[in-house]
């Protein structure tokens, strides 16, 4: 009987540990092994930010793309000589090099002080938090303890990331897959306040929306004209447009004010306001910066727990672009 009880208890503990997965992250994970990790990363990120503002959207987007494919495990950072790693997938080809460079430089600085201790996944998570602060966004604590993944394949990316033409149902579905609510999704979309996009991601809204209306009627006509001037047909594919035309280098709630004014760049942005199911949240965030900040922090912390590897899973990569041999 005692044996059965002990076996039952062990099974229960195993079950609880498996359930905890996310709970194995903690804000003071490196307290004894690399106590200054956050200040080391912050210094590098600040230096990179001073060189180019692109550091902000590039690092944020890198974190988001990493977490939605294989979980937050730095799989997006792997470089393959065959061009078949996660970052080589069509949906990831537009990830700006400044995001990768930020993590590479931060990793080098951390390795110099704490060799073989801090994962690339955690460095990316810290850097993503830091760029938000540098752009004027809210401060928050980052949970740490992720390990780096052992899989990075371009073929596993399709269907895992939201597309610029998604409707609300499609957006909610893909975020729910990652344990994120509609409010989380809308808050995270607010990161577009410091984002930029290439013209081909929204050209259909300007030139070929529908047979009866080449321009999307949900676009403010003046804004549509400005976009057409910046993105003429057959424009250089490297041309990029600020997603927030008002305060493009400030992390604020202007993105939501823009949606209310029909100045959302993507269909997947504007639909948040035009759909009655999500509209009240957009309106609330547009009026109350603190409500957006609080929801954004909650969503970022939840995003950082998606599919994490902890304990003995994965590895601590020595070079963020390559698996340990």
């Amino acid at each position: 009987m005692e044996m059965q009880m002990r076996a039952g208890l062990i099974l229960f503990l195993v079950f609880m540990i498996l359930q905890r997965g996310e709970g194995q992250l903690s804000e003071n994970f490196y307290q004894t092994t690399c106590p200054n990790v956050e200040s080391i990363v912050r210094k590098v990120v600040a230096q990179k930010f001073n060189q180019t503002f692109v550091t902000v959207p590039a690092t944020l987007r890198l974190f988001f793309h990493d977490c939605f494919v294989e979980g937050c495990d730095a799989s997006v950072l792997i470089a393959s000589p065959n061009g078949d790693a996660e970052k080589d997938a069509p949906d990831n080809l537009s990830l700006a090099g400044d995001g990768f460079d930020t993590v590479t430089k931060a990793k080098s600085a951390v390795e110099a002080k704490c060799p073989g201790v801090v994962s690339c996944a955690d460095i990316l998570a810290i850097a993503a938090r830091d760029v938000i602060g540098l752009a004027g966004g809210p401060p928050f604590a980052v949970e740490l303890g992720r390990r780096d993944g052992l899989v990075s394949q371009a073929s596993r990316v399709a269907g895992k990331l939201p597309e610029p033409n998604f409707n609300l149902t499609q957006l909610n579905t893909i975020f729910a897959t990652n344990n994120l609510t509609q409010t989380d999704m809308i808050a995270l979309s607010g990161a577009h306040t410091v984002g930029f996009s290439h013209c081909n991601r929204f050209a259909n809204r300007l030139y070929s929306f529908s047979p009866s209306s080449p321009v999307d009627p949900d676009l403010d006509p003046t804004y549509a004209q400005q976009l057409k001037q910046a993105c003429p047909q057959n424009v250089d594919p490297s041309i990029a447009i600020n997603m927030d035309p008002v305060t493009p280098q400030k992390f604020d709630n202007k993105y939501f004010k823009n949606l209310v004014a029909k100045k959302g760049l993507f269909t997947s942005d504007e639909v948040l306001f035009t759909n009655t199911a999500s509209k009240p949240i957009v309106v609330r965030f547009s009026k109350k910066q603190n409500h957006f900040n609080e929801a954004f922090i909650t969503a970022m912390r939840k995003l950082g727990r998606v599919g994490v590897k902890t304990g003995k899973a994965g590895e601590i990569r020595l070079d963020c672009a390559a698996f340990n041999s």
Side-chain angles (χ1 to χ4, degrees), residues 45-95:
V45 174
Q47 288 170 342
K48 182 76 184 167
F49 171 80
N50 289 333
Q51 290 167 5
T52 172
F53 184 83
V54 176
T55 303
V56 177
T59 306
L60 264 179
R61 193 157 171 252
L62 192 62
F63 181 58
F64 179 77
H65 279 231
D66 182 45
C67 293
F68 264 43
V69 183
E70 312 294 354
C72 309
D73 67 351
S75 51
V76 75
L77 303 176
I78 291 291
S80 164
N82 306 319
D84 59 0
E86 197 174 297
K87 72 182 215 175
D88 300 309
D91 280 345
N92 283 335
L93 291 177
S94 61
L95 289 170

Side-chain angles (χ1 to χ4, degrees), residues 183-220:
T183 301
D184 296 329
M185 179 269 291
I186 296 169
L188 289 170
S189 297
H192 284 171
T193 187
V194 289
F196 61 88
S197 170
H198 295 101
C199 297
N200 67 341
R201 303 290 280 178
F202 57 87
N204 66 306
R205 298 189 73 197
L206 302 175
Y207 300 108
S208 58
F209 186 72
S210 72
S212 60
S213 175
V215 178
D216 185 343
D218 284 328
L219 260 182
D220 172 76

